[in-house]
Amino acid sequence: MKHTSYDLIVVGTGFASSFFLKKYLSKAKGDQKVLVLERGYFYPHAERLKVKKGEFSPYQKFEEPWEQAIKNVNPEKRWPFTTGYGGCSNCWWGCTPRFMPSDFKMKSLFGVGEDWPVDYDDLDPYYYEAEDLMSVSGPEGTPFPRTGKYPLPAHSFSLVDKILHKTYGNKYISQPTARASRATTGRNGCMASSTCDTCPVNAKFTIENANLNVYNDPRVTVVYGAQVYSLELQGDIARKAYYIRDGKEEEASAEIIVLGANPFFNTNILLNAGDKNPLTGRGFGEQLGMQVLIYLDNMKNVGGSTWVNANGYMLYDGDHRKDFAACLMEVSNAPYYIRLERGKWLNIASFRLLFEDLPLDTNYITNSADKLVPEVHFTERSSYTLKAIENMKKKLPEILSCLPVEKLKYLSPFPNEGHIIGGTRMSNDPKLGVVDKHLIHHQYRNLFVLGAGAFTTFSASNPTLTLSALSLFAADKTF
């Protein structure tokens, strides 16, 4: 390494770290020294595509199966994620709706969970900034407060989408997404191939194609293959980061340390360091998702221009959230489901229904006998979420009455949504969380803990845009 001590150490190169660094570097002096410790390696998109097609790539040796990176006590619950440069930007599917204002005030409005220490208005300017950095495609009218146009135009509707949008207006919109609706800097337009984890045309935003100019900044040193597992904590200060590189123990010190790994590894680092906050690792989870197939009578559902074409908010907000969870509809345009009946192949629509869940202390992350491997315990869904599934089944036929529906077929819930949320929740009161509104640890005041782990409650909406906006907010308000 260039130095023995740094102004800032950042762990990880995914969304949370990258957006934090983007804002920090825009405000930092020219002589600042930043060390980025990345457990994985740079694995180029072009090489990922080769592997996707069954071809050989020398970079494939850098793939780290998520099943080997954690000890998952409940094998029926899956937690897929990607390590290496760019983190989960390499495997996400590019869905970027904002949270609704009510998502931040669950206790005040509905008597459920806790309120966030930030609200929609606090994050609003940072939502715009994150949307610009990701070149998000989206509509002009949305159910959440937003003025002006998105950076890129909205994706086009399918026939079913057009009917539902006409019926429900801004409660049914083209999904805001980081899958480009047309070619933009460093990216092509989406071809609706529905293999978004490794986009074959590089239409999806990733840290690699983002042009953030973060990791090539001369103030930044990136060290690959550096797996951080603990910190040195002295009093109320984080002094050093401890990591393994090439099988050897190494350490680095800094004035400020930023944990930007996913919630499993952020928690593991804190617990290995001796963090005694009783909520560290507690109450993690994600949304529950399930698919419903909508069989259409004499209607071919043609059109659309991306994988998830639309979002429906007809079951999202309202007083029902006092009793059961919000539901976000993701309207799939993927060719996964067709009807195997002559002349009716396209007479079908497919909705993925995402239900928010609540942080339960019975779902938790802890360290294990192997200091590099967190142990993940997920045992149950909240009754709040399960009640929402029953409500959805009662209400959906009426919601879809504007369509010629033959029948609805509900599939079993998915084993994952690809979102890891909670474990280092934010709060104003140190007794109710791990970090404050600026993502600074309540006890260790030079230690940031970024990412969706900080979410106070989960929301039904996809987390990536909000965690990116939070990183921008935290860096802007602190430095």
Side-chain angles (χ1 to χ4, degrees), residues 70-344:
I70 64 173
K71 182 180 179 182
N72 187 23
V73 176
N74 178 4
E76 294 182 1
K77 185 70 181 75
R78 295 171 53 81
W79 302 101
F81 57 85
T82 304
T83 59
Y85 179 82
C88 284
S89 75
N90 295 305
C91 67
W92 80 314
W93 289 60
C95 304
T96 53
R98 296 185 179 194
F99 281 15
M100 296 289 283
S102 56
D103 290 331
F104 299 93
K105 299 180 178 294
M106 291 292 290
K107 186 173 183 178
S108 296
L109 295 176
F110 310 119
V112 174
E114 296 290 341
D115 289 348
W116 293 44
V118 296
D119 61 22
Y120 186 93
D121 290 338
D122 291 328
L123 289 188
D124 185 51
Y126 304 97
Y127 272 140
Y128 283 106
E129 188 172 354
E131 288 160 348
D132 283 341
L133 289 170
M134 294 184 190
S135 297
V136 169
S137 305
E140 292 192 38
T142 59
F144 39 78
R146 193 185 190 283
T147 59
K149 295 181 178 180
Y150 275 93
L152 293 179
H155 280 278
S156 61
F157 279 146
S158 70
L159 178 56
V160 163
D161 294 330
K162 291 176 182 177
I163 295 170
L164 287 167
H165 177 66
K166 182 177 180 180
T167 303
Y168 295 105
N170 286 350
K171 285 190 173 182
Y172 191 96
I173 63 170
S174 173
Q175 184 189 69
T177 174
R179 301 181 301 273
S181 60
R182 67 185 185 194
T184 188
T185 304
R187 291 152 59 194
N188 295 305
C190 178
M191 299 292 288
S193 62
S194 304
T195 55
C196 305
D197 54 335
T198 307
C199 178
V201 296
N202 206 18
K204 176 192 71 174
F205 173 92
T206 65
I207 300 304
E208 181 183 348
N209 67 23
N211 298 304
L212 293 179
N213 296 317
V214 168
Y215 300 110
N216 58 355
D217 188 295
R219 294 169 289 182
V220 176
T221 300
V222 181
V223 178
Y224 292 107
Q227 185 171 355
V228 177
Y229 67 88
S230 188
L231 307 171
E232 180 183 294
L233 303 176
Q234 293 183 0
D236 293 337
I237 299 295
R239 299 290 187 186
K240 296 180 181 178
Y242 296 110
Y243 60 99
I244 301 290
R245 186 182 180 216
D246 295 330
K248 299 178 181 179
E249 295 271 359
E250 298 193 30
E251 61 184 54
S253 60
E255 294 296 315
I256 298 169
I257 297 177
V258 179
L259 301 184
N262 73 33
F264 296 149
F265 300 114
N266 283 348
T267 294
N268 193 56
I269 292 166
L270 290 171
L271 293 177
N272 283 336
D275 181 16
K276 300 302 183 184
N277 188 308
L279 292 175
T280 298
R282 293 282 169 175
F284 90 101
E286 66 172 348
Q287 302 91 343
L288 184 149
M290 61 182 295
Q291 205 84 7
V292 57
L293 306 182
I294 305 162
Y295 289 74
L296 301 170
D297 183 15
N298 199 31
M299 176 188 284
K300 289 180 169 56
N301 186 24
V302 296
S305 63
T306 191
W307 165 63
V308 174
N309 232 46
N311 281 146
Y313 288 81
M314 294 82 85
L315 292 171
Y316 199 115
D317 238 350
D319 283 346
H320 69 266
R321 292 178 81 180
K322 295 176 181 178
D323 301 308
F324 45 81
C327 173
L328 177 67
M329 301 175 185
E330 282 190 346
V331 185
S332 177
N333 197 39
Y336 305 149
Y337 306 104
I338 60 173
R339 292 180 64 169
L340 301 180
E341 304 158 75
R342 186 178 297 275
K344 295 185 178 182

Side-chain angles (χ1 to χ4, degrees), residues 323-387:
D323 301 308
F324 45 81
C327 173
L328 177 67
M329 301 175 185
E330 282 190 346
V331 185
S332 177
N333 197 39
Y336 305 149
Y337 306 104
I338 60 173
R339 292 180 64 169
L340 301 180
E341 304 158 75
R342 186 178 297 275
K344 295 185 178 182
W345 299 319
L346 299 180
N347 292 13
I348 193 169
S350 175
F351 285 15
R352 192 183 190 109
L353 304 163
L354 301 180
F355 299 91
E356 66 182 328
D357 207 344
L358 298 176
L360 303 176
D361 285 348
T362 49
N363 300 324
Y364 62 95
I365 307 158
T366 188
N367 44 12
S368 72
D370 184 340
K371 65 187 178 184
L372 301 179
V373 179
E375 190 169 288
V376 177
H377 297 257
F378 185 89
T379 61
E380 61 182 325
R381 292 289 184 178
S382 68
S383 60
Y384 185 71
T385 296
L386 300 179
K387 289 177 184 177

